[in-house]
Each structure stands twice: as C-alpha cells, then as structure tokens.
Amino acid sequence: MRRAGLTTERLTRAGAELADEVGFDQVTVSALARRFDVKVASLYSHVKNSQDLKTRIALLALEELADRAAAALAGRAGKDALAAFANVYRDYAREHPGRYAAAQLRLDPETAAASAGVRHAQMTRAILRGYDLTEPDQTHAVRMLGSVFHGYVSLEMGGGFSHSAPDTQETWSRMLDALDALLRNWPAPPNSPTTHTG
C-alpha cells in the first residue's frame, strides 16, 4: 500500500481492524507499520505514538457503538429499549472483540467529555426515565446495567459459559427479564421512610 494514501482516519480504522484480529493489547504503531509495509517513522506524522493510536481506536469504537445504539433505540421504550440497548453491546462485542475492548479504555477527563461516551450515558438515562427512576437511583442503575452487560459479555466471550447447558442466549434473555423486573420495582434505600417497618 502506498504511503501517500495514509491518513489519520485510515490508520485508525486499520488499527481497529487489527485489534479485532489480534487483540487490542497487541495494537502498536510498529504493528500498524508492518500492516501497511511502511517504516514506523512514516506513521508519526499521523499518530503520536501507540497510546495515541489506541485512544483514537477507542473513540472510533465508542462512536460506532453510540450510532448503533441510537438506531436500535429509535421508537422503543421500557423493556424493548432495555433489550435493544443490551443487544447492541453484546452483538458489537461478538463482531468486533478488539474494538469492544478498546471502548473500555480509560480516557482522560477532557477526551472522555468530548467522546461519544457521553451519548452512551445519555441513552442509558433515557431508558431509565422510562422506569421512573430519579437521582441518585438513576446513577446506581446506570452503573448496575453497565456492570451486568459488560460482565456477562466478557465472561461469555472468554468461554466462561461454554461448558454447560442451557444455551447462553437463554440465560441472556432471562437476565434481561430480571433486570426489567428489578427496574420496575426498584428497591428503596435502607432505612428510608418507605421501607421502615418499626
């Protein structure tokens, strides 16, 4: 491939493809240079270093995920929205394991604030408003959903559920049912007037 065709966007997308093939941890400027059959130095006018490349891949992944989630959520509410949102993350992780890992990269506050990660939080909160959750319960629920979705997907992708029945899709569906029921009957905090029985 010709060096003249290299751009920051093209290198970022190639890095994302490489992440899906060999793992996000293995993505470096050197590995990307080998992919394009160019010298490492020729890439430094487009990306600063391997960390900069990884950050750009993370931002790309967050953007792709946000776009998918927004499309999936259009016209949905309640459990339908919850399931659509969850399925976007699971499907993306299956299709793009390296990019999904990149989306978990810790970004500095300024970069994070300008990223599509903000859209993810906004969409999650929009779903939760359909369950009539207010603060601070909404934030607790955002953290819970993120933990459950990411935890399940990570364990599933790592083969943690592959040695026993039932099928993981059945468990996933049951889990979404349980989350929907929990959100509809969100528990009051301990010692609140609504839970006091004394």
Side-chain angles (χ1 to χ4, degrees):
M1 298 183 185
R2 295 180 182 175
R3 184 182 311 176
L6 297 182
T7 63
T8 301
E9 180 180 0
R10 188 177 179 196
L11 290 173
T12 300
R13 292 195 171 278
E17 292 170 3
L18 184 63
D20 287 337
E21 294 168 12
V22 302
F24 183 58
D25 289 342
Q26 303 303 312
V27 174
T28 63
V29 174
S30 296
L32 199 58
R34 288 194 295 272
R35 191 178 187 89
F36 283 95
D37 193 25
V38 296
K39 296 187 178 189
V40 174
S42 67
L43 301 189
Y44 286 130
S45 60
H46 304 289
V47 293
K48 296 176 184 176
N49 49 43
S50 293
Q51 186 59 39
D52 178 45
L53 174 61
K54 287 186 173 183
T55 297
R56 291 177 184 280
I57 295 170
L59 294 174
L60 172 66
L62 288 170
E63 190 74 36
E64 289 179 341
L65 264 171
D67 288 345
R68 286 193 182 197
L73 288 174
R76 299 179 186 269
K79 184 185 174 185
D80 285 345
L82 177 68
F85 192 68
N87 286 330
V88 163
Y89 281 85
R90 188 178 182 219
D91 292 344
Y92 189 81
R94 287 171 156 183
E95 294 171 29
H96 302 292
R99 298 184 203 206
Y100 179 77
Q104 315 309 315
L105 182 69
R106 184 170 184 174
L107 304 172
D108 66 75
E110 184 177 350
T111 303
S115 77
V118 176
R119 291 171 60 199
H120 292 263
Q122 291 170 339
M123 284 185 280
T124 306
R125 290 180 183 279
I127 292 169
L128 292 173
R129 282 195 292 274
Y131 289 96
D132 295 324
L133 290 184
T134 57
E135 290 297 358
D137 291 331
Q138 197 176 96
T139 294
H140 294 319
V142 167
R143 293 170 179 171
M144 179 191 72
L145 292 179
S147 299
V148 173
F149 296 158
H150 178 62
Y152 190 93
V153 167
S154 297
L155 287 168
E156 183 180 36
M157 290 178 62
F161 305 139
S162 60
H163 305 296
S164 61
D167 182 75
T168 57
Q169 179 58 44
E170 183 179 340
T171 305
W172 178 256
S173 297
R174 294 288 297 274
M175 183 182 75
L176 293 178
D177 288 341
L179 288 172
D180 174 64
L182 175 60
L183 292 170
R184 290 180 188 282
N185 300 280
W186 189 260
N191 303 318
S192 73
T194 56
T195 59
H196 182 65
T197 58

